[in-house]
Amino acid sequence: MRLRHTLDRLTIYLPLFLFALLALGSWWLVRSMPDLQPPRPDKQQRQDPDYRLEKFTVKSFDTSGRMTREVGGQSATHFPAEQELHIQNIRIFAENELGTRVQAQAPKGVSNEPMQTVILSGGVLAVRAADAQGPRMSLKGESMKVLLDEERLTSQVPVEIVRGADVFTAQTMDFDTRQGLYTLDGRVKSVLAPTQRQP
């Protein structure tokens, strides 16, 4: 009787054991099978451009309606994978709330949207207009990075700075356009115009 009672109890649990065994076997089969479908490419990772612009100008305004920035060029191509806009014959104009005005131009520019930076190359000319903080300043170099939100220009290649009648050259530069202050490093040379003595 005890043996029959034990067999009856095992018969009750036998379907559960079978279901567990089938589930384990299915899991092992799925894990062992190779991926039959290749992964779908992410549409955001496409390497080809998604749009182009010709003879364009893009303006930015603050909450009061004052124009703060203008970026234009002969043509531009947008690459969504890098979130970059590659611009030919780029021109940049910026003016902050203090009235500081900066213009820059170059044969090529790469604007990175998330980083709010623009890489200028091919022979760059940037000009900070004269104001109460100092005279007109012009900067020349083969390549410069514009940090839009920080209002800075940086360069890791030789630059020439003309400040009024004074001329400076350096291997690298970090220029705070808001304050009109710059840090020069490397082989720094300067030619200072003589000051006029008061009679």
Side-chain angles (χ1 to χ4, degrees):
M1 290 295 294
R2 179 172 297 179
L3 179 62
R4 182 180 180 85
H5 182 68
T6 302
L7 290 175
D8 289 341
R9 295 192 64 181
L10 288 175
T11 303
I12 293 174
Y13 291 106
L14 183 60
L16 295 177
F17 288 131
L18 289 175
F19 280 124
L21 186 61
L22 286 173
L24 183 62
S26 299
W27 175 83
W28 176 84
L29 185 62
V30 170
R31 295 277 295 182
S32 301
M33 288 281 291
D35 192 0
L36 299 180
Q37 292 186 350
R40 296 181 179 179
D42 187 354
K43 292 183 178 180
Q44 295 299 322
Q45 296 303 313
R46 55 181 287 186
Q47 299 299 316
D48 56 320
D50 56 354
Y51 67 82
R52 292 182 172 86
L53 301 173
E54 297 290 336
K55 296 181 180 180
F56 71 97
T57 301
V58 179
K59 298 181 180 181
S60 302
F61 300 86
D62 62 14
T63 55
S64 66
R66 180 181 60 85
M67 189 183 76
T68 58
R69 188 180 308 144
E70 178 178 305
V71 178
Q74 183 68 25
S75 62
T77 304
H78 184 260
F79 293 89
E82 295 83 8
Q83 299 187 57
E84 291 180 347
L85 190 65
H86 293 228
I87 306 170
Q88 301 295 320
N89 295 327
I90 183 173
R91 304 178 309 276
I92 301 175
F93 171 80
E95 181 177 2
N96 62 21
E97 72 280 3
L98 300 177
T100 303
R101 296 184 177 184
V102 178
Q103 299 182 63
Q105 62 185 49
K108 297 179 182 180
V110 178
S111 173
N112 186 286
E113 301 163 9
M115 301 299 292
Q116 283 292 292
T117 60
V118 182
I119 304 296
L120 304 175
S121 61
V124 185
L125 172 62
V127 176
R128 183 184 188 274
D131 57 17
Q133 296 181 351
R136 179 183 185 273
M137 297 179 62
S138 66
L139 303 89
K140 295 180 181 179
E142 182 62 24
S143 176
M144 294 184 194
K145 177 188 284 189
V146 183
L147 292 87
L148 298 172
D149 287 346
E150 300 180 32
E151 299 185 41
R152 287 170 52 215
L153 287 169
T154 65
S155 177
Q156 298 302 314
V157 298
V159 294
E160 178 187 82
I161 300 176
V162 179
R163 183 180 185 273
D166 302 331
V167 180
F168 303 87
T169 58
Q171 299 298 108
T172 65
M173 174 199 69
D174 190 333
F175 180 41
D176 183 343
T177 62
R178 187 181 184 89
Q179 302 294 331
L181 303 176
Y182 49 88
T183 301
L184 305 177
D185 205 350
R187 298 178 181 176
V188 179
K189 297 181 180 180
S190 62
V191 177
L192 305 179
T195 58
Q196 295 182 353
R197 296 182 178 181
Q198 296 293 333

